[in-house]
């Protein structure tokens, strides 16, 4: 019976160690990098769309730029996500 409890504790310790090591799993890191690339592309696509809407409002509808910013809910600091990294 003592041996069983000993093995159970060892198994639990090994499972905890495995969970810690999963954080550094090359496949998990590769999956996160792929997901990050996908999210960056989506953010850039949405930013393009917002700038497209702004251009339409200003150039085609003759709206002042500040009013277009207000309607779109953005301010003069709005830019692409990678331009904000490290600032």
């Amino acid at each position: 019976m003592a041996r069983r409890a000993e093995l159970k504790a060892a198994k639990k310790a090994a499972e905890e160690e495995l969970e810690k090591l999963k954080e550094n799993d090359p496949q998990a890191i590769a999956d996160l990098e792929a997901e990050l690339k996908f999210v960056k592309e989506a953010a850039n696509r949405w930013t393009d769309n917002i700038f497209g809407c702004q251009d339409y409002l200003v150039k085609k509808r003759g709206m002042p730029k500040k009013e277009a910013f207000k309607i779109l809910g953005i301010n003069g600091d709005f830019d692409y996500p990678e331009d904000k990294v490290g600032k």
Side-chain angles (χ1 to χ4, degrees), residues 31-46:
D31 291 344
L32 285 174
E33 288 174 350
E35 187 174 346
L36 179 62
K37 181 181 176 191
F38 176 76
V39 169
K40 281 182 181 179
E41 289 172 356
N44 285 332
R45 187 171 45 253
W46 278 96

Side-chain angles (χ1 to χ4, degrees), residues 60-78:
K60 301 285 185 183
R61 305 298 283 181
M63 186 177 290
K65 207 171 198 178
K66 285 187 178 185
E67 192 175 332
F69 281 166
K70 185 177 178 183
I71 288 174
L72 295 171
I74 59 176
N75 59 25
D77 294 338
F78 185 77

